[in-house]
Amino acid sequence: MKFFTFAARLFIGGIFMFASINKILDPSDFAVSIRNYLIVPSSWTNILALTFPWVEIGAGCLLILGIQTRPAALLTTGMLGVFLGALIYAYSIGLDIDCGCFSSATSSGGRVGIYHLVRDTALFLISLFIVVTDKGDFSVSGSTILDPLRGRTHTERDDLHGCW
Amino acid sequence: MKAYLALMCRCLIISLFFASIGLLSNLATGNPLPWVYVRPMEVVLAGVKVELISEREALRFLDNPGAVFIDSRNCSDYSKSHVRGAICLPPDDVEQRFPSVEPLIPKDYRVILYCYGPECDMAEKVATFLGEMGYKNMMIMSSGFPAWDKAKYPVEDSTSKNSDPSDFARSFEVGEFLVAIGAHFQVFFRLVQG
């Protein structure tokens, strides 16, 4: 099981790092993508475009390195949940917009469609799988300094959470 | 419960840490993006100031006899649904289409253009063309048709009203053709009878 979890970590981490690069390089274009979804007030879109891709790349790095794996996996799961909700909303009201998933509005990653919904659902489930199954194996942090809960069972973690 | 709260706290700390890196890196760039987006109020196209308005502002002009809506999306999307009474004028063949719709857009009318939304520049392209044709009173509904439709403002499709004048012109040409054929048949039957 730990090999599956490790593979899932590398996969989701890699996807998140790859997806964030274009958005970090051109946040104004990503802001346009967010505005097109008509979900958040347009005044918020710039700050979301400035921060979201960095959280994406950060969570991706942490997943790959195995530092704070469960919180990072929970973050990626949450973000994928938000993306999936936005895609379902856009698809349900028939918005003909670029999904902005891996790129910015003008460099076209394809119009929102069933393919995007299926892909995001699969990624969401893989990310959730990491949250549930990760035990801290194959992590860069050899000590417990970076992740004091690493390698412990869920019961031990629950006992230790009081001091975190 | 405590465990989940602790997990959430760590998620929040990680998010805030990387989000602050994003904000700081933006400040470090030569041309930082403002944190709060402010919608531009107007653009200048072909020397004409064109006001950018929201769908709510555009709604005020819907039943105004001195205003006309122009849908600059593709005509296939126009025929599915469009702002009630809008005219289809996509930028790709605007020069060919314009003569057929020109009578419906007097120069002193307020022209409100729209397309697919903020990312789309089709309305701006058509506004540039109209500006060159002498139209001075133009507005662009920058949020586009999706926002209008989402707000449940009045829409119609091409089956509810034939508001594409070029289609009307085409059907008129077909009608003329049929009348001409009928006339020829009449002459032919007279000749046969005679």
Side-chain angles (χ1 to χ4, degrees), chain B residues 54-104:
Chain B
S54 68
E55 66 282 5
R56 185 178 290 187
E57 290 164 310
L59 182 67
R60 289 185 293 136
F61 301 106
L62 185 64
D63 294 319
N64 186 334
V68 60
F69 280 75
I70 292 190
D71 189 325
S72 50
R73 298 176 300 156
N74 297 324
C75 279
S76 55
D77 292 321
Y78 168 87
S79 57
K80 284 178 201 160
S81 184
H82 54 260
V83 171
R84 195 180 68 206
I87 295 165
C88 181
L89 192 59
D92 297 341
D93 54 350
V94 64
E95 284 171 27
Q96 289 79 36
R97 234 169 219 277
F98 181 68
S100 62
V101 297
E102 192 178 6
L104 300 172

Side-chain angles (χ1 to χ4, degrees), chain B residues 145-157:
Chain B
F145 184 71
W148 180 278
D149 194 33
K150 189 188 166 196
K152 302 203 184 309
Y153 293 153
V155 294
E156 65 183 6
D157 55 31

